[in-house]
Amino acid sequence: MNRSIYISILAVFLMFGMLLSFQFRSNGSNGGGVPTERYHELTVEKLKVETDIAQLEEESNDLAVKIADARRGRTTAAEAIEKELDKIQLRAGLIPVTGPGVEIVVKNDSSAQYGTGFYNIRDENLLLLVNDLRGAGAEAISINDQRILATSEVRQAGNHINVNLVKISPPYNIKAIGNPGQLKSSLEIKDGLVEILAANGVLVEVQQLEQVSVPAYSGGLGFDYAKHVQKG
């Protein structure tokens, strides 16, 4: 029962006690008085009612404490679940994030020409950059505002590159959140990836920033064949 029901029962018993008290006073005003046996019975009944009322008050207070504890418990549990969900979404790349890092522009070197045309940036060039950033401790990466996850696809599609099944075109803008100096140094180390790509006609410009914004992953995350393994 909730607290309102207990209060209603308490009110009934209080009224009953008042009626008994009134009856005692009324009977006492009669000239004949109240018989001793009847007076004793009424006194016993009154004491019983008072005892019942005290017990109801105690149970009502105890229930109120339990209800308050239960509400606090639900609030605490809900807050814990929300925090855990935020952590999972953060790690899964499902929410936008911001922090220090680097912004990289990848474009063709117009001064370098190979064969009959300019060197075209390939999907493997972007993959090399992503892997290098991950190895340097990048916590979140995007290419042309496409969030890169463990399941992301970076694949050549004719003259374009698809990322997360979305067609993107040069210049390619890569954002990475992490230690700015560490990320930049990893790419620009002597004989590192920036020099290797430059030798093949791909210019990579790296800029350190105090604030970089990486959007959330917006594609689907459905699993058609993978199933959860039941323990036992």
mmCIF file of all heavy atoms in Angstrom, residues 45-68:
data_model
loop_
_atom_site.group_PDB
_atom_site.id
_atom_site.type_symbol
_atom_site.label_atom_id
_atom_site.label_comp_id
_atom_site.label_asym_id
_atom_site.label_seq_id
_atom_site.Cartn_x
_atom_site.Cartn_y
_atom_site.Cartn_z
ATOM 1 N N GLU A 45 -10.913 -1.434 24.662
ATOM 2 C CA GLU A 45 -11.049 -1.176 23.222
ATOM 3 C C GLU A 45 -10.288 0.085 22.814
ATOM 4 O O GLU A 45 -9.645 0.140 21.755
ATOM 5 C CB GLU A 45 -12.522 -1.051 22.854
ATOM 6 C CG GLU A 45 -13.283 -2.366 22.933
ATOM 7 C CD GLU A 45 -14.737 -2.204 22.556
ATOM 8 O OE1 GLU A 45 -15.096 -1.093 22.097
ATOM 9 O OE2 GLU A 45 -15.513 -3.164 22.713
ATOM 10 N N LYS A 46 -10.377 1.110 23.657
ATOM 11 C CA LYS A 46 -9.678 2.363 23.364
ATOM 12 C C LYS A 46 -8.160 2.154 23.329
ATOM 13 O O LYS A 46 -7.457 2.656 22.441
ATOM 14 C CB LYS A 46 -10.044 3.410 24.401
ATOM 15 C CG LYS A 46 -9.389 4.775 24.176
ATOM 16 C CD LYS A 46 -9.926 5.783 25.153
ATOM 17 C CE LYS A 46 -9.300 7.152 24.929
ATOM 18 N NZ LYS A 46 -7.879 7.176 25.271
ATOM 19 N N LEU A 47 -7.640 1.393 24.300
ATOM 20 C CA LEU A 47 -6.207 1.112 24.324
ATOM 21 C C LEU A 47 -5.782 0.325 23.098
ATOM 22 O O LEU A 47 -4.696 0.544 22.539
ATOM 23 C CB LEU A 47 -5.855 0.348 25.606
ATOM 24 C CG LEU A 47 -5.924 1.141 26.915
ATOM 25 C CD1 LEU A 47 -5.715 0.214 28.121
ATOM 26 C CD2 LEU A 47 -4.893 2.262 26.917
ATOM 27 N N LYS A 48 -6.632 -0.619 22.674
ATOM 28 C CA LYS A 48 -6.319 -1.406 21.472
ATOM 29 C C LYS A 48 -6.265 -0.522 20.238
ATOM 30 O O LYS A 48 -5.394 -0.671 19.374
ATOM 31 C CB LYS A 48 -7.355 -2.510 21.278
ATOM 32 C CG LYS A 48 -7.033 -3.460 20.129
ATOM 33 C CD LYS A 48 -8.052 -4.567 20.036
ATOM 34 C CE LYS A 48 -7.673 -5.539 18.918
ATOM 35 N NZ LYS A 48 -7.524 -4.901 17.621
ATOM 36 N N VAL A 49 -7.251 0.391 20.135
ATOM 37 C CA VAL A 49 -7.261 1.322 18.993
ATOM 38 C C VAL A 49 -6.008 2.178 18.992
ATOM 39 O O VAL A 49 -5.367 2.399 17.958
ATOM 40 C CB VAL A 49 -8.523 2.201 19.020
ATOM 41 C CG1 VAL A 49 -8.412 3.330 18.000
ATOM 42 C CG2 VAL A 49 -9.762 1.369 18.734
ATOM 43 N N GLU A 50 -5.633 2.682 20.165
ATOM 44 C CA GLU A 50 -4.431 3.512 20.257
ATOM 45 C C GLU A 50 -3.181 2.714 19.862
ATOM 46 O O GLU A 50 -2.283 3.234 19.197
ATOM 47 C CB GLU A 50 -4.288 4.055 21.678
ATOM 48 C CG GLU A 50 -5.327 5.115 22.022
ATOM 49 C CD GLU A 50 -5.232 5.545 23.473
ATOM 50 O OE1 GLU A 50 -4.553 4.845 24.253
ATOM 51 O OE2 GLU A 50 -5.839 6.579 23.815
ATOM 52 N N THR A 51 -3.138 1.437 20.283
ATOM 53 C CA THR A 51 -2.006 0.576 19.913
ATOM 54 C C THR A 51 -1.959 0.352 18.411
ATOM 55 O O THR A 51 -0.890 0.415 17.784
ATOM 56 C CB THR A 51 -2.111 -0.770 20.633
ATOM 57 O OG1 THR A 51 -2.111 -0.547 22.041
ATOM 58 C CG2 THR A 51 -0.931 -1.670 20.269
ATOM 59 N N ASP A 52 -3.138 0.090 17.816
ATOM 60 C CA ASP A 52 -3.205 -0.118 16.362
ATOM 61 C C ASP A 52 -2.774 1.136 15.609
ATOM 62 O O ASP A 52 -2.068 1.062 14.594
ATOM 63 C CB ASP A 52 -4.630 -0.503 15.952
ATOM 64 C CG ASP A 52 -5.009 -1.899 16.428
ATOM 65 O OD1 ASP A 52 -4.089 -2.668 16.756
ATOM 66 O OD2 ASP A 52 -6.217 -2.204 16.471
ATOM 67 N N ILE A 53 -3.199 2.291 16.120
ATOM 68 C CA ILE A 53 -2.835 3.553 15.463
ATOM 69 C C ILE A 53 -1.320 3.754 15.519
ATOM 70 O O ILE A 53 -0.682 4.155 14.535
ATOM 71 C CB ILE A 53 -3.568 4.730 16.127
ATOM 72 C CG1 ILE A 53 -5.061 4.672 15.782
ATOM 73 C CG2 ILE A 53 -2.974 6.064 15.669
ATOM 74 C CD1 ILE A 53 -5.900 5.693 16.517
ATOM 75 N N ALA A 54 -0.730 3.455 16.665
ATOM 76 C CA ALA A 54 0.723 3.599 16.807
ATOM 77 C C ALA A 54 1.467 2.678 15.851
ATOM 78 O O ALA A 54 2.468 3.065 15.237
ATOM 79 C CB ALA A 54 1.131 3.313 18.249
ATOM 80 N N GLN A 55 0.958 1.446 15.704
ATOM 81 C CA GLN A 55 1.580 0.498 14.781
ATOM 82 C C GLN A 55 1.458 0.980 13.336
ATOM 83 O O GLN A 55 2.401 0.867 12.549
ATOM 84 C CB GLN A 55 0.940 -0.879 14.934
ATOM 85 C CG GLN A 55 1.300 -1.580 16.235
ATOM 86 C CD GLN A 55 0.617 -2.922 16.385
ATOM 87 O OE1 GLN A 55 -0.307 -3.237 15.625
ATOM 88 N NE2 GLN A 55 1.064 -3.705 17.349
ATOM 89 N N LEU A 56 0.270 1.517 13.001
ATOM 90 C CA LEU A 56 0.075 2.028 11.640
ATOM 91 C C LEU A 56 1.003 3.211 11.361
ATOM 92 O O LEU A 56 1.547 3.344 10.266
ATOM 93 C CB LEU A 56 -1.385 2.453 11.435
ATOM 94 C CG LEU A 56 -2.387 1.318 11.238
ATOM 95 C CD1 LEU A 56 -3.806 1.862 11.264
ATOM 96 C CD2 LEU A 56 -2.123 0.586 9.929
ATOM 97 N N GLU A 57 1.161 4.077 12.363
ATOM 98 C CA GLU A 57 2.074 5.212 12.190
ATOM 99 C C GLU A 57 3.503 4.730 11.951
ATOM 100 O O GLU A 57 4.215 5.255 11.084
ATOM 101 C CB GLU A 57 2.033 6.109 13.426
ATOM 102 C CG GLU A 57 0.766 6.943 13.531
ATOM 103 C CD GLU A 57 0.761 7.801 14.785
ATOM 104 O OE1 GLU A 57 1.518 7.476 15.721
ATOM 105 O OE2 GLU A 57 0.011 8.780 14.810
ATOM 106 N N GLU A 58 3.900 3.720 12.721
ATOM 107 C CA GLU A 58 5.249 3.181 12.563
ATOM 108 C C GLU A 58 5.443 2.545 11.190
ATOM 109 O O GLU A 58 6.457 2.756 10.517
ATOM 110 C CB GLU A 58 5.508 2.151 13.661
ATOM 111 C CG GLU A 58 6.934 1.598 13.653
ATOM 112 C CD GLU A 58 7.178 0.615 14.769
ATOM 113 O OE1 GLU A 58 6.317 0.505 15.676
ATOM 114 O OE2 GLU A 58 8.235 -0.063 14.743
ATOM 115 N N GLU A 59 4.442 1.752 10.753
ATOM 116 C CA GLU A 59 4.514 1.116 9.432
ATOM 117 C C GLU A 59 4.504 2.159 8.323
ATOM 118 O O GLU A 59 5.198 2.027 7.315
ATOM 119 C CB GLU A 59 3.344 0.151 9.255
ATOM 120 C CG GLU A 59 3.431 -1.086 10.137
ATOM 121 C CD GLU A 59 2.227 -1.990 9.963
ATOM 122 O OE1 GLU A 59 1.422 -1.729 9.041
ATOM 123 O OE2 GLU A 59 2.086 -2.947 10.728
ATOM 124 N N SER A 60 3.684 3.212 8.510
ATOM 125 C CA SER A 60 3.618 4.276 7.500
ATOM 126 C C SER A 60 4.956 4.990 7.362
ATOM 127 O O SER A 60 5.433 5.246 6.249
ATOM 128 C CB SER A 60 2.522 5.272 7.879
ATOM 129 O OG SER A 60 2.481 6.346 6.971
ATOM 130 N N ASN A 61 5.585 5.305 8.498
ATOM 131 C CA ASN A 61 6.894 5.963 8.451
ATOM 132 C C ASN A 61 7.947 5.061 7.825
ATOM 133 O O ASN A 61 8.794 5.515 7.039
ATOM 134 C CB ASN A 61 7.320 6.362 9.868
ATOM 135 C CG ASN A 61 6.453 7.464 10.444
ATOM 136 O OD1 ASN A 61 5.876 8.261 9.706
ATOM 137 N ND2 ASN A 61 6.342 7.504 11.770
ATOM 138 N N ASP A 62 7.899 3.766 8.179
ATOM 139 C CA ASP A 62 8.857 2.812 7.621
ATOM 140 C C ASP A 62 8.684 2.696 6.109
ATOM 141 O O ASP A 62 9.659 2.659 5.349
ATOM 142 C CB ASP A 62 8.671 1.450 8.278
ATOM 143 C CG ASP A 62 9.691 0.432 7.765
ATOM 144 O OD1 ASP A 62 10.891 0.660 7.947
ATOM 145 O OD2 ASP A 62 9.266 -0.580 7.178
ATOM 146 N N LEU A 63 7.414 2.648 5.669
ATOM 147 C CA LEU A 63 7.148 2.562 4.231
ATOM 148 C C LEU A 63 7.612 3.817 3.507
ATOM 149 O O LEU A 63 8.154 3.747 2.401
ATOM 150 C CB LEU A 63 5.653 2.334 3.999
ATOM 151 C CG LEU A 63 5.213 2.162 2.553
ATOM 152 C CD1 LEU A 63 5.880 0.945 1.931
ATOM 153 C CD2 LEU A 63 3.701 2.037 2.449
ATOM 154 N N ALA A 64 7.400 4.978 4.131
ATOM 155 C CA ALA A 64 7.834 6.238 3.510
ATOM 156 C C ALA A 64 9.350 6.246 3.319
ATOM 157 O O ALA A 64 9.864 6.697 2.286
ATOM 158 C CB ALA A 64 7.407 7.424 4.374
ATOM 159 N N VAL A 65 10.086 5.733 4.331
ATOM 160 C CA VAL A 65 11.554 5.657 4.224
ATOM 161 C C VAL A 65 11.954 4.718 3.091
ATOM 162 O O VAL A 65 12.859 5.015 2.294
ATOM 163 C CB VAL A 65 12.155 5.186 5.562
ATOM 164 C CG1 VAL A 65 13.650 4.896 5.395
ATOM 165 C CG2 VAL A 65 11.958 6.242 6.637
ATOM 166 N N LYS A 66 11.265 3.563 2.996
ATOM 167 C CA LYS A 66 11.590 2.598 1.948
ATOM 168 C C LYS A 66 11.300 3.152 0.559
ATOM 169 O O LYS A 66 12.057 2.934 -0.389
ATOM 170 C CB LYS A 66 10.798 1.306 2.169
ATOM 171 C CG LYS A 66 11.271 0.497 3.369
ATOM 172 C CD LYS A 66 10.444 -0.768 3.554
ATOM 173 C CE LYS A 66 10.958 -1.577 4.732
ATOM 174 N NZ LYS A 66 10.145 -2.795 4.976
ATOM 175 N N ILE A 67 10.184 3.869 0.432
ATOM 176 C CA ILE A 67 9.838 4.479 -0.865
ATOM 177 C C ILE A 67 10.890 5.513 -1.264
ATOM 178 O O ILE A 67 11.334 5.573 -2.421
ATOM 179 C CB ILE A 67 8.443 5.125 -0.800
ATOM 180 C CG1 ILE A 67 7.363 4.041 -0.705
ATOM 181 C CG2 ILE A 67 8.192 6.006 -2.024
ATOM 182 C CD1 ILE A 67 5.977 4.581 -0.473
ATOM 183 N N ALA A 68 11.303 6.335 -0.275
ATOM 184 C CA ALA A 68 12.342 7.348 -0.563
ATOM 185 C C ALA A 68 13.643 6.678 -0.982
ATOM 186 O O ALA A 68 14.308 7.123 -1.929
ATOM 187 C CB ALA A 68 12.552 8.229 0.666
#
